[in-house]
């Protein structure tokens, strides 16, 4: 809970995303994509819970680190 600091980024295709950061530590808390305001994206790294559910959808795989492994059966962005 508390206040966040917002920053707008423009993606490769011109899509705008509003990121909300913790004003004390700078960690991304969540972000919202322009035109998709009903959905809020929360980075899995924001949680230190090993029982947190595995991702079900993958975006920007071409940018992921080589050591990242995705769960089987995950949906991939076309």
């Amino acid at each position: 809970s508390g206040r966040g600091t917002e920053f707008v980024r423009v993606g490769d295709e011109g899509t705008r995303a509003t990121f909300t950061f913790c004003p004390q530590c700078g960690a991304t808390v969540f972000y919202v994509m322009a035109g998709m305001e009903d959905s809020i994206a929360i980075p899995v790294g924001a949680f230190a819970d090993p029982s947190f559910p595995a991702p079900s959808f993958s975006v920007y795989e071409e940018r992921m680190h080589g050591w990242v492994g995705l769960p089987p059966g995950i949906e991939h962005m076309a």
Side-chain angles (χ1 to χ4, degrees):
S1 65
R3 295 184 329 168
T5 301
E6 290 186 348
F7 180 78
V8 176
R9 289 186 182 165
V10 179
D12 296 343
E13 297 179 8
T15 305
R16 298 173 67 85
T18 301
F19 289 78
T20 301
F21 296 89
C22 171
Q24 293 183 327
C25 73
T28 301
V29 179
F30 66 91
Y31 63 94
V32 177
M33 302 296 293
M36 299 177 62
E37 287 81 5
D38 290 342
S39 297
I40 297 173
I42 302 171
V44 175
F47 299 92
D49 180 358
S51 66
F52 192 84
S56 61
F57 188 79
S58 176
V59 181
Y60 292 120
E61 288 180 33
E62 68 275 4
R63 296 181 180 181
M64 72 182 181
H65 295 289
W67 49 262
V68 172
L70 299 173
I74 194 169
E75 184 179 348
H76 304 274
M77 183 174 177

XYZ file of all heavy atoms in Angstrom:
585
model
N 0.846 -1.178 0.000
C 0.000 0.000 0.000
C 0.888 1.237 0.000
O 2.073 1.168 0.330
C -0.917 -0.003 1.210
O -0.164 0.114 2.389
N 0.341 2.344 -0.393
C 1.108 3.582 -0.418
C 1.116 4.206 -1.787
O 0.452 3.743 -2.702
N 1.888 5.255 -1.909
C 1.971 5.988 -3.162
C 3.017 5.375 -4.076
O 3.969 4.764 -3.619
C 2.334 7.439 -2.899
C 1.277 8.192 -2.145
C 1.618 9.637 -1.971
N 3.064 9.846 -1.873
C 3.644 11.027 -1.947
N 2.926 12.091 -2.112
N 4.946 11.140 -1.839
N 2.816 5.576 -5.367
C 3.786 5.128 -6.350
C 4.215 6.286 -7.228
O 3.550 7.317 -7.297
N 5.340 6.123 -7.876
C 5.837 7.086 -8.835
C 5.618 6.509 -10.217
O 5.966 5.354 -10.464
C 7.338 7.356 -8.604
O 7.504 7.839 -7.280
C 7.886 8.354 -9.589
N 5.043 7.285 -11.128
C 4.735 6.782 -12.463
C 5.753 7.254 -13.492
O 6.306 8.345 -13.397
C 3.338 7.233 -12.902
C 2.239 6.569 -12.134
C 0.856 6.916 -12.665
O 0.725 7.843 -13.496
O -0.097 6.255 -12.246
N 5.984 6.387 -14.475
C 6.852 6.693 -15.600
C 6.230 6.058 -16.828
O 5.831 4.890 -16.798
C 8.261 6.135 -15.370
C 9.199 6.428 -16.504
C 9.772 7.687 -16.646
C 9.502 5.458 -17.437
C 10.629 7.965 -17.698
C 10.368 5.726 -18.493
C 10.927 6.980 -18.618
N 6.122 6.808 -17.926
C 5.539 6.288 -19.165
C 6.662 5.920 -20.122
O 7.568 6.714 -20.381
C 4.598 7.323 -19.818
C 4.068 6.808 -21.145
C 3.445 7.656 -18.881
N 6.590 4.693 -20.636
C 7.551 4.231 -21.641
C 6.801 3.972 -22.936
O 5.663 3.520 -22.926
C 8.211 2.915 -21.204
C 9.160 3.068 -20.068
C 9.872 1.776 -19.788
N 10.754 1.947 -18.642
C 11.296 0.957 -17.973
N 11.057 -0.275 -18.309
N 12.088 1.205 -16.953
N 7.483 4.220 -24.059
C 6.914 3.945 -25.371
C 7.667 2.750 -25.944
O 8.900 2.765 -26.053
C 7.033 5.164 -26.304
C 6.445 4.848 -27.671
C 6.332 6.371 -25.683
N 6.913 1.692 -26.290
C 7.512 0.463 -26.792
C 7.974 0.571 -28.233
O 7.820 1.608 -28.896
N 8.538 -0.513 -28.744
C 9.084 -0.563 -30.099
C 8.051 -0.211 -31.168
O 8.391 0.328 -32.215
C 9.648 -1.953 -30.399
C 10.824 -2.299 -29.513
O 11.407 -1.382 -28.913
O 11.152 -3.503 -29.419
N 6.793 -0.552 -30.918
C 5.740 -0.300 -31.902
C 4.885 0.909 -31.535
O 3.809 1.099 -32.092
C 4.885 -1.552 -32.056
C 5.681 -2.719 -32.599
C 4.867 -3.983 -32.749
O 3.633 -3.931 -32.583
O 5.466 -5.029 -33.025
N 5.338 1.722 -30.594
C 4.635 2.936 -30.234
C 3.617 2.791 -29.121
O 2.957 3.755 -28.750
N 3.475 1.592 -28.577
C 2.530 1.374 -27.485
C 3.066 2.016 -26.207
O 4.241 1.869 -25.879
C 2.318 -0.135 -27.252
O 1.918 -0.735 -28.483
C 1.258 -0.381 -26.209
N 2.188 2.701 -25.499
C 2.578 3.381 -24.254
C 2.218 2.510 -23.054
O 1.134 1.956 -22.991
C 1.880 4.719 -24.159
C 2.261 5.663 -25.279
C 1.443 6.927 -25.272
N 1.710 7.760 -24.125
C 2.691 8.653 -24.037
N 3.494 8.819 -25.048
N 2.854 9.372 -22.958
N 3.137 2.419 -22.127
C 2.908 1.691 -20.883
C 3.233 2.617 -19.725
O 4.263 3.303 -19.738
C 3.788 0.446 -20.802
N 2.350 2.656 -18.734
C 2.581 3.466 -17.544
C 3.036 2.543 -16.428
O 2.285 1.688 -15.965
C 1.302 4.215 -17.133
O 0.893 5.044 -18.223
C 1.551 5.075 -15.901
N 4.287 2.694 -16.028
C 4.884 1.891 -14.970
C 4.750 2.634 -13.650
O 4.986 3.838 -13.588
C 6.366 1.628 -15.250
C 6.597 0.674 -16.371
C 6.488 1.080 -17.687
C 6.923 -0.648 -16.104
C 6.701 0.202 -18.726
C 7.132 -1.542 -17.137
C 7.022 -1.119 -18.454
N 4.392 1.920 -12.605
C 4.329 2.493 -11.269
C 5.431 1.857 -10.435
O 5.526 0.633 -10.329
C 2.954 2.258 -10.625
O 1.966 2.866 -11.458
C 2.877 2.873 -9.239
N 6.289 2.711 -9.865
C 7.446 2.284 -9.097
C 7.267 2.630 -7.630
O 6.570 3.577 -7.281
C 8.703 3.019 -9.582
C 9.079 2.711 -10.997
C 8.561 3.453 -12.048
C 9.964 1.692 -11.268
C 8.910 3.180 -13.355
C 10.317 1.406 -12.583
C 9.792 2.153 -13.625
N 7.946 1.895 -6.776
C 8.040 2.259 -5.366
C 8.943 3.488 -5.287
O 10.075 3.451 -5.788
C 8.639 1.115 -4.552
S 9.026 1.578 -2.846
N 8.466 4.593 -4.689
C 9.299 5.795 -4.638
C 10.509 5.672 -3.706
O 11.417 6.487 -3.777
C 8.334 6.877 -4.144
C 7.264 6.144 -3.426
C 7.154 4.796 -4.082
N 10.540 4.639 -2.879
C 11.675 4.470 -1.964
C 12.761 3.584 -2.542
O 13.934 3.905 -2.470
C 11.194 3.921 -0.628
C 10.339 4.917 0.119
C 9.916 4.394 1.471
O 9.703 3.197 1.656
N 9.777 5.303 2.419
N 12.384 2.430 -3.136
C 13.416 1.505 -3.622
C 13.531 1.461 -5.142
O 14.494 0.938 -5.672
C 13.175 0.097 -3.077
S 11.781 -0.763 -3.833
N 12.528 1.996 -5.855
C 12.585 2.036 -7.310
C 12.095 0.780 -8.006
O 12.119 0.699 -9.236
N 11.642 -0.219 -7.266
C 11.164 -1.456 -7.884
C 9.840 -1.224 -8.605
O 8.986 -0.475 -8.146
C 10.970 -2.533 -6.818
N 9.670 -1.874 -9.769
C 8.403 -1.798 -10.478
C 7.363 -2.582 -9.696
O 7.568 -3.753 -9.369
C 8.520 -2.395 -11.886
O 9.513 -1.679 -12.610
C 7.204 -2.325 -12.632
N 6.251 -1.939 -9.384
C 5.179 -2.584 -8.641
C 4.137 -3.147 -9.605
O 3.675 -4.267 -9.458
C 4.523 -1.602 -7.641
C 3.398 -2.263 -6.880
C 5.568 -1.046 -6.689
N 3.768 -2.355 -10.621
C 2.849 -2.821 -11.661
C 2.923 -1.873 -12.842
O 3.530 -0.813 -12.774
C 1.411 -2.916 -11.152
C 0.775 -1.598 -10.793
C 0.053 -0.876 -11.727
C 0.889 -1.088 -9.517
C -0.528 0.330 -11.397
C 0.301 0.115 -9.163
C -0.407 0.837 -10.119
N 2.328 -2.309 -13.974
C 2.220 -1.407 -15.119
C 0.935 -1.684 -15.875
O 0.336 -2.749 -15.766
C 3.446 -1.475 -16.038
C 3.703 -2.794 -16.709
C 3.216 -3.060 -17.988
C 4.470 -3.773 -16.090
C 3.487 -4.265 -18.618
C 4.746 -4.975 -16.709
C 4.252 -5.211 -17.983
O 4.512 -6.403 -18.594
N 0.503 -0.669 -16.636
C -0.737 -0.732 -17.407
C -0.418 -0.291 -18.831
O 0.256 0.723 -19.035
C -1.812 0.197 -16.794
C -3.074 0.188 -17.625
C -2.100 -0.198 -15.357
N -0.893 -1.045 -19.814
C -0.693 -0.717 -21.217
C -1.831 0.175 -21.704
O -2.997 -0.061 -21.375
C -0.659 -1.991 -22.072
C 0.417 -2.985 -21.661
S 2.083 -2.367 -21.865
C 2.169 -2.240 -23.625
N -1.506 1.191 -22.490
C -2.523 2.071 -23.068
C -3.479 1.245 -23.918
O -3.059 0.374 -24.686
C -1.862 3.154 -23.919
N -4.762 1.474 -23.736
C -5.778 0.727 -24.470
C -6.173 -0.571 -23.800
O -7.090 -1.256 -24.254
N -5.472 -0.938 -22.736
C -5.768 -2.177 -22.006
C -5.864 -1.864 -20.511
O -5.372 -2.603 -19.674
C -4.678 -3.218 -22.262
C -4.527 -3.620 -23.704
S -3.182 -4.781 -23.976
C -3.709 -6.171 -23.012
N -6.505 -0.762 -20.182
C -6.542 -0.282 -18.803
C -7.265 -1.218 -17.842
O -7.124 -1.089 -16.637
C -7.156 1.122 -18.748
C -6.251 2.211 -19.284
C -6.242 2.328 -20.808
O -7.027 1.623 -21.493
O -5.446 3.121 -21.322
N -8.032 -2.175 -18.369
C -8.717 -3.142 -17.509
C -7.777 -4.243 -17.021
O -8.147 -5.049 -16.172
C -9.902 -3.777 -18.242
C -11.038 -2.801 -18.462
O -11.083 -1.757 -17.775
O -11.892 -3.082 -19.322
N -6.567 -4.301 -17.566
C -5.579 -5.307 -17.169
C -4.386 -4.623 -16.524
O -3.888 -3.622 -17.031
C -5.097 -6.099 -18.388
O -6.151 -6.812 -18.972
N -3.928 -5.190 -15.427
C -2.750 -4.683 -14.731
C -1.698 -5.777 -14.733
O -1.972 -6.914 -14.332
C -3.093 -4.287 -13.278
C -4.108 -3.150 -13.274
C -1.836 -3.889 -12.529
C -4.630 -2.807 -11.895
N -0.490 -5.454 -15.194
C 0.608 -6.420 -15.217
C 1.455 -6.228 -13.965
O 1.847 -5.106 -13.637
C 1.458 -6.222 -16.464
N 1.723 -7.330 -13.285
C 2.533 -7.305 -12.065
C 3.750 -8.196 -12.288
O 3.606 -9.397 -12.505
C 1.725 -7.807 -10.852
C 0.475 -6.950 -10.665
C 2.598 -7.795 -9.605
C -0.490 -7.488 -9.637
N 4.961 -7.634 -12.272
C 6.157 -8.446 -12.481
C 6.296 -9.520 -11.400
O 6.156 -9.233 -10.215
C 7.308 -7.438 -12.384
C 6.682 -6.101 -12.627
C 5.294 -6.218 -12.100
N 6.548 -10.746 -11.832
C 6.681 -11.860 -10.888
C 7.804 -11.586 -9.895
O 7.726 -11.971 -8.734
C 6.931 -13.175 -11.646
C 7.200 -14.322 -10.687
C 5.738 -13.518 -12.524
N 8.838 -10.865 -10.305
C 9.953 -10.555 -9.420
C 9.560 -9.683 -8.236
O 10.334 -9.519 -7.302
N 8.338 -9.139 -8.257
C 7.869 -8.326 -7.136
C 7.485 -9.190 -5.936
O 7.223 -8.679 -4.865
C 6.669 -7.474 -7.563
N 7.481 -10.500 -6.129
C 7.086 -11.419 -5.061
C 8.238 -12.342 -4.701
O 8.931 -12.846 -5.565
C 5.900 -12.278 -5.505
C 4.690 -11.454 -5.832
C 4.455 -11.024 -7.120
C 3.802 -11.098 -4.841
C 3.349 -10.247 -7.430
C 2.688 -10.327 -5.131
C 2.470 -9.898 -6.432
N 8.451 -12.565 -3.436
C 9.504 -13.468 -2.979
C 8.892 -14.771 -2.481
O 9.432 -15.429 -1.609
C 10.324 -12.812 -1.883
N 7.752 -15.136 -3.044
C 7.012 -16.315 -2.612
C 7.265 -17.465 -3.580
O 6.828 -17.417 -4.726
C 5.520 -15.969 -2.568
C 4.648 -17.118 -2.124
O 5.170 -18.225 -1.869
O 3.427 -16.906 -2.018
N 7.987 -18.524 -3.168
C 8.277 -19.625 -4.081
C 7.035 -20.395 -4.530
O 7.082 -21.120 -5.511
C 9.215 -20.535 -3.285
C 9.030 -20.140 -1.871
C 8.553 -18.721 -1.846
N 5.914 -20.196 -3.857
C 4.689 -20.877 -4.280
C 3.847 -20.006 -5.214
O 2.748 -20.397 -5.588
C 3.854 -21.279 -3.057
O 3.375 -20.123 -2.374
N 4.377 -18.835 -5.614
C 3.661 -17.964 -6.539
C 3.414 -18.732 -7.835
O 4.299 -19.442 -8.318
C 4.493 -16.705 -6.817
C 3.731 -15.625 -7.511
C 2.947 -14.743 -6.792
C 3.790 -15.484 -8.886
C 2.241 -13.727 -7.427
C 3.086 -14.492 -9.525
C 2.305 -13.604 -8.801
N 2.214 -18.637 -8.411
C 1.910 -19.418 -9.626
C 2.865 -19.101 -10.771
O 3.296 -17.962 -10.945
C 0.491 -18.973 -9.989
C -0.055 -18.323 -8.770
C 1.094 -17.816 -7.977
N 3.170 -20.119 -11.553
C 4.039 -19.954 -12.721
C 3.330 -19.098 -13.765
O 2.099 -19.046 -13.816
C 4.367 -21.331 -13.309
N 4.089 -18.404 -14.621
C 3.458 -17.611 -15.671
C 2.680 -18.500 -16.640
O 3.004 -19.667 -16.832
C 4.635 -16.934 -16.381
C 5.853 -17.659 -15.959
C 5.541 -18.348 -14.671
N 1.656 -17.923 -17.250
C 0.848 -18.661 -18.221
C 0.936 -18.053 -19.612
O 0.431 -18.616 -20.576
C -0.616 -18.705 -17.766
O -1.135 -17.394 -17.662
N 1.583 -16.891 -19.731
C 1.675 -16.179 -21.003
C 3.050 -15.541 -21.103
O 3.522 -14.935 -20.134
C 0.580 -15.102 -21.056
C 0.441 -14.432 -22.387
C -0.227 -15.055 -23.421
C 0.981 -13.180 -22.603
C -0.365 -14.431 -24.658
C 0.857 -12.540 -23.829
C 0.171 -13.181 -24.862
N 3.708 -15.667 -22.240
C 5.063 -15.153 -22.410
C 5.098 -14.067 -23.482
O 4.544 -14.222 -24.560
C 5.993 -16.293 -22.808
O 7.283 -15.807 -23.059
N 5.761 -12.950 -23.142
C 5.904 -11.819 -24.053
C 7.387 -11.474 -24.164
O 8.124 -11.564 -23.186
C 5.117 -10.601 -23.518
C 5.224 -9.418 -24.462
C 3.665 -10.959 -23.267
N 7.831 -11.050 -25.313
C 9.213 -10.619 -25.556
C 10.237 -11.713 -25.270
O 11.295 -11.470 -24.700
C 9.561 -9.369 -24.734
C 8.816 -8.127 -25.161
C 7.986 -7.456 -24.279
C 8.946 -7.635 -26.451
C 7.300 -6.317 -24.675
C 8.266 -6.508 -26.849
C 7.455 -5.843 -25.956
O 6.784 -4.726 -26.352
N 9.937 -12.930 -25.691
C 10.886 -14.033 -25.464
C 12.228 -13.790 -26.135
O 13.261 -14.250 -25.640
C 10.290 -15.347 -25.968
C 9.181 -15.854 -25.094
C 8.601 -17.146 -25.604
O 9.337 -17.972 -26.185
O 7.393 -17.337 -25.421
N 12.229 -13.066 -27.250
C 13.497 -12.824 -27.950
C 14.447 -11.967 -27.119
O 15.634 -11.908 -27.400
C 13.254 -12.179 -29.327
C 12.712 -10.767 -29.284
C 11.196 -10.654 -29.147
O 10.507 -11.686 -29.009
O 10.696 -9.527 -29.154
N 13.938 -11.339 -26.052
C 14.769 -10.489 -25.196
C 15.157 -11.154 -23.881
O 15.900 -10.569 -23.102
C 14.029 -9.189 -24.882
C 13.785 -8.357 -26.111
C 13.077 -7.093 -25.743
N 12.832 -6.285 -26.926
C 12.256 -5.123 -26.912
N 11.849 -4.605 -25.780
N 12.072 -4.453 -28.012
N 14.649 -12.335 -23.613
C 14.918 -12.941 -22.309
C 16.359 -13.453 -22.229
O 16.983 -13.770 -23.235
C 13.932 -14.063 -22.005
C 14.107 -15.323 -22.787
S 12.830 -16.500 -22.326
C 13.276 -17.871 -23.362
N 16.863 -13.518 -21.019
C 18.203 -14.052 -20.785
C 18.233 -15.536 -21.140
O 17.229 -16.242 -20.999
C 18.600 -13.881 -19.318
C 18.730 -12.448 -18.897
N 19.754 -11.642 -19.328
C 17.956 -11.681 -18.097
C 19.614 -10.440 -18.813
N 18.530 -10.425 -18.056
N 19.387 -16.011 -21.585
C 19.538 -17.407 -21.985
C 19.275 -18.399 -20.860
O 18.911 -19.547 -21.111
N 19.420 -17.977 -19.610
C 19.228 -18.880 -18.480
C 17.773 -18.968 -18.029
O 17.438 -19.755 -17.150
C 20.114 -18.466 -17.306
C 20.055 -17.015 -16.959
C 20.946 -16.062 -17.359
C 19.078 -16.335 -16.167
N 20.570 -14.833 -16.857
C 19.425 -14.971 -16.129
C 17.935 -16.738 -15.491
C 18.679 -14.021 -15.433
C 17.192 -15.783 -14.792
C 17.565 -14.450 -14.776
N 16.884 -18.171 -18.646
C 15.475 -18.203 -18.260
C 14.814 -19.421 -18.885
O 14.964 -19.682 -20.076
C 14.750 -16.919 -18.709
C 13.244 -17.028 -18.479
C 15.312 -15.713 -17.999
N 14.085 -20.184 -18.076
C 13.333 -21.333 -18.568
C 11.838 -21.060 -18.404
O 11.413 -20.527 -17.391
N 11.078 -21.391 -19.423
C 9.633 -21.198 -19.368
C 8.934 -22.511 -19.060
O 9.388 -23.576 -19.498
C 9.128 -20.641 -20.700
C 9.700 -19.285 -21.098
C 9.249 -18.912 -22.513
C 9.264 -18.227 -20.112
N 7.833 -22.469 -18.334
C 7.126 -23.711 -18.017
C 6.512 -24.332 -19.275
O 6.144 -23.617 -20.210
C 6.029 -23.272 -17.025
C 5.972 -21.803 -17.077
C 7.216 -21.301 -17.716
N 6.393 -25.649 -19.299
C 5.768 -26.295 -20.466
C 4.301 -25.893 -20.581
O 3.636 -25.631 -19.594
C 5.910 -27.798 -20.161
C 6.232 -27.912 -18.719
C 6.801 -26.593 -18.284
N 3.840 -25.791 -21.811
C 2.438 -25.476 -22.062
C 2.093 -24.014 -21.966
O 0.916 -23.641 -22.064
N 3.087 -23.144 -21.780
C 2.835 -21.707 -21.660
C 2.350 -21.149 -23.008
O 2.775 -21.618 -24.054
C 4.093 -20.977 -21.162
C 3.756 -19.559 -20.716
C 5.170 -20.958 -22.206
C 4.893 -18.876 -19.975
N 1.472 -20.149 -22.962
C 1.003 -19.490 -24.172
C 2.051 -18.463 -24.593
O 2.615 -17.759 -23.757
C -0.337 -18.797 -23.894
C -0.964 -18.163 -25.115
C -2.304 -17.513 -24.813
O -2.858 -17.731 -23.721
O -2.763 -16.766 -25.683
N 2.321 -18.391 -25.888
C 3.352 -17.481 -26.410
C 2.695 -16.388 -27.242
O 1.792 -16.651 -28.036
C 4.346 -18.244 -27.277
C 4.982 -19.392 -26.589
N 6.113 -19.260 -25.808
C 4.627 -20.692 -26.512
C 6.420 -20.440 -25.306
N 5.546 -21.316 -25.712
N 3.168 -15.147 -27.060
C 2.676 -14.046 -27.867
C 3.138 -14.239 -29.301
O 4.295 -14.549 -29.544
C 3.189 -12.712 -27.327
C 2.670 -11.529 -28.064
S 3.219 -10.019 -27.229
C 2.562 -8.812 -28.334
N 2.226 -14.078 -30.235
C 2.566 -14.297 -31.662
C 3.398 -13.168 -32.205
O 3.427 -12.095 -31.736
C 1.284 -14.424 -32.477
